[in-house]
């Protein structure tokens, strides 16, 4: 990824709202010696939380733990580690997650069931050394908690990310802040990658859950970088109520969606090996579901993605991809445009391909189905040599 293509990283992230402390430390999980354990703590007065998780049936131990812990809507803290997914590590792995929550709870003097745990890294690895480093890192991070610790926390959750992702949205008297990690295995299933979002607004757990599902449905759930769904994906939303202000729920959901969209775009811009950030807009669909299905069929089409890598506006590959869906439309009535140039009209050639310039990183593909009034946007990226190399050497 080139420096001039990076989206701006905004503010302190999770510690921008009042009532939160965070930290990030190096516990030795990464061979690079970089930070790899992060903690976000809600100091209240409210301790409300909500979360959405990967819909992959293969779930990592932290997901299994956190799905149980979130049920009462009370979250005191989130502990996150990079450098190991703690997935398919048997009962030992679940005990490691449980002990992580217990260690954090003991130090914070809260219930272990109110501590969520997140992990990211290589699947199928984990031993006594891994457990010892996670537990020691949790202790060290909790000892360094600070209202200014959001930057360090966002750096500690990175794996193949080239830079940290943070965002802040401020409204009249209340704030939302967030951090995210993710550069590969980005495909939707309620949530994508690891994300922690905080707010000092006064909202209960049920309201947070409603707003979070509205926001993720149109942001993270429509980021489809490589069609590969992780075992560890989790988006967590915490509310401290420290502002003392109760916002209108619709207003809060809109602000939350804005923040999640910002983070999703940062994740798209840092996708492994990508040279193009591709926005696929599907218009005039019979339903939103149809628009999403059509957009995702293109986002997951390797022939299309390699064409974009080669700066080839191959609209035929778009039509071939959308023809595999069950969406309601006439393939011979569809228009397809690349970067503002309509190359296909009513299923036939329109403008010459050489009128399209695909050398810039941002790439816009518009698919007009002419079947209704619904629309949806899917974010993806191209498939490059660097992506293949990075993922072929990931565990080496």
């Amino acid at each position: 990824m080139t420096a001039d293509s990076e989206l701006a990283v905004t503010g302190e992230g999770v510690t921008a709202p009042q009532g939160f402390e965070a930290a990030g430390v190096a516990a030795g999980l990464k061979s690079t010696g970089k930070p790899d354990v992060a903690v976000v703590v809600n100091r209240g007065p409210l301790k409300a939380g909500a979360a959405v998780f990967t819909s992959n049936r293969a779930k990592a131990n932290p997901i299994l733990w956190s799905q149980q812990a979130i049920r009462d809507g009370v979250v005191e803290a989130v502990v996150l580690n990079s450098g190991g997914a703690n997935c398919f590590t048997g009962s030992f792995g679940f005990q490691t997650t449980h002990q992580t929550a217990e260690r954090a709870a003991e130090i914070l003097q809260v219930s272990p069931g109110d501590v969520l745990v997140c992990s990211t890294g290589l699947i199928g690895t984990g031993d006594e050394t891994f457990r010892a480093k996670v537990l020691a890192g949790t202790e060290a991070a909790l000892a360094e908690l600070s209202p200014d610790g959001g930057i360090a926390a966002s750096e500690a959750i990175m794996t193949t990310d080239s830079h940290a992702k943070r965002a802040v949205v401020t409204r009249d008297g209340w704030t939302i802040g967030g951090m995210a990690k993710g550069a590969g295995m980005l495909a939707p299933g309620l949530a994508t990658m690891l994300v922690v979002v905080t707010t000092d607004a006064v909202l209960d757990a049920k309201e947070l859950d409603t707003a979070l599902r509205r926001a993720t449905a149109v942001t993270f759930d429509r980021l489809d970088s490589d069609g590969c769904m992780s075992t560890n994906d989790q988006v967590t939303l915490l509310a401290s109520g420290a502002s003392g202000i109760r916002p209108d729920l619709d207003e809060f959901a809109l602000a939350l969606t804005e923040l999640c969209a910002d983070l999703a775009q940062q994740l798209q811009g840092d996708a492994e090996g990508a040279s193009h950030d591709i926005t696929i807009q599907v218009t005039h669909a019979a339903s939103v579901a149809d628009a999403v299905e059509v957009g995702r069929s293109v986002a997951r089409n390797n022939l299309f993605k390699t064409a974009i890598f080669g700066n080839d506006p191959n609209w035929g590959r778009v039509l071939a991809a959308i023809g595999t869906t069950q969406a309601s439309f006439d393939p011979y009535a569809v228009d397809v445009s690349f970067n503002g140039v309509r190359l296909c009209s009513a299923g036939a050639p329109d403008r010459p391909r050489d009128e399209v310039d695909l050398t810039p990183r941002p790439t816009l593909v518009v698919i007009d189905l002419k079947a209704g009034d619904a629309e949806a946007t899917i974010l993806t990226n191209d498939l490059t040599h660097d992506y293949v190399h990075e993922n072929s050497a990931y565990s080496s």
Side-chain angles (χ1 to χ4, degrees):
M1 177 172 177
T2 59
D4 61 0
S5 67
E6 294 184 11
L7 293 174
V9 179
T10 309
E12 286 281 341
V14 292
T15 52
Q18 302 174 64
F20 293 94
E21 295 181 336
V25 301
L29 293 169
K30 294 177 180 174
S31 60
T32 60
K34 293 182 178 180
D36 46 29
V37 175
V39 177
V40 179
V41 175
N42 184 355
R43 296 299 190 185
L46 296 182
K47 304 295 180 70
V52 290
F53 303 92
T54 179
S55 59
N56 195 329
R57 291 171 56 199
K59 292 178 170 60
N61 290 303
I63 296 293
L64 298 173
W65 169 268
S66 295
Q67 283 182 314
Q68 294 296 319
I70 196 65
R71 286 187 172 183
D72 65 356
V74 178
V75 181
E76 296 274 0
V78 184
V79 180
L80 310 95
N81 77 268
S82 55
N86 192 10
C87 180
F88 292 118
T89 48
S91 59
F92 174 88
F94 189 80
Q95 291 166 9
T96 298
T97 297
H98 194 170
Q99 289 183 27
T100 301
E102 287 182 325
R103 186 67 55 86
E106 180 182 5
I107 295 170
L108 294 171
Q109 296 187 322
V110 300
S111 168
D114 294 334
V115 177
L116 304 188
V117 180
C118 302
S119 297
T120 181
L122 189 63
I123 295 171
T125 61
D127 53 19
E128 291 287 354
T129 301
F130 172 82
R131 174 186 284 177
K133 289 179 178 179
V134 170
L135 295 178
T138 300
E139 292 180 2
L142 288 170
E144 295 188 14
L145 284 173
S146 166
D148 301 318
I151 292 176
S154 69
E155 293 171 346
I157 62 176
M158 294 164 53
T159 50
T160 58
D161 307 66
S162 69
H163 65 279
K165 290 98 174 170
R166 299 183 301 276
V168 176
V169 172
T170 300
R171 292 294 184 263
D172 189 16
W174 52 274
T175 299
I176 308 175
M179 67 179 186
K181 68 78 50 185
M185 291 190 80
L186 293 180
L190 290 182
T192 312
M193 73 269 121
L194 296 186
V195 179
V196 178
V197 180
T198 59
T199 183
D200 51 18
V202 177
L203 294 164
D204 62 32
K206 184 176 180 180
E207 291 169 326
L208 293 178
D209 184 76
T210 298
L212 182 61
R213 292 180 186 279
R214 283 177 57 181
T216 57
V218 294
T219 56
F220 297 131
D221 198 37
R222 294 186 184 176
L223 172 63
D224 202 329
S225 174
D226 54 14
C228 300
M229 186 188 299
S230 174
T231 55
N232 292 63
D233 298 336
Q234 179 172 330
V235 175
T236 305
L237 174 60
L238 310 177
S240 69
S243 70
I245 298 174
R246 174 177 289 277
D248 175 78
L249 186 57
D250 287 336
E251 181 184 358
F252 179 80
L254 287 173
L256 179 62
T257 300
E258 179 182 330
L259 180 130
C260 291
D262 187 330
L263 290 173
Q265 289 170 4
Q266 291 185 51
L267 292 166
Q268 178 195 26
D270 197 29
E272 291 171 344
S275 63
H276 290 81
D277 301 330
I278 307 169
T279 300
I280 302 171
Q281 292 182 354
V282 181
T283 65
H284 297 110
S287 66
V288 172
D290 277 3
V292 170
E293 182 183 5
V294 166
R296 207 178 306 290
S297 73
V298 178
R300 294 185 173 184
N301 186 280
N302 288 338
L303 287 176
F304 164 78
K305 292 159 79 73
T306 53
I308 299 299
F309 172 58
N311 297 329
D312 174 16
N314 194 327
W315 56 269
R317 292 181 177 178
V318 173
L319 290 180
I322 69 176
T324 66
T325 71
Q326 299 300 311
S328 298
F329 65 90
D330 179 358
Y332 302 99
V334 173
D335 292 352
V336 179
S337 300
F338 283 72
N339 286 350
V341 179
R342 191 175 67 181
L343 298 181
C344 166
S345 178
D350 190 5
R351 304 301 303 168
R353 296 188 186 194
D354 59 12
E355 291 186 7
V356 177
D357 181 10
L358 287 183
T359 55
R361 186 179 180 100
T363 303
L364 174 63
V365 178
V366 179
I367 304 167
D368 186 346
L369 297 181
K370 299 181 181 179
D373 296 323
E375 60 183 35
T377 298
I378 302 294
L379 304 180
T380 190
N381 49 267
D382 56 351
L383 181 59
T384 70
H385 301 302
D386 289 342
Y387 175 86
V388 174
H389 172 73
E390 186 163 341
N391 285 280
S392 65
Y394 181 69
S395 60
S396 60

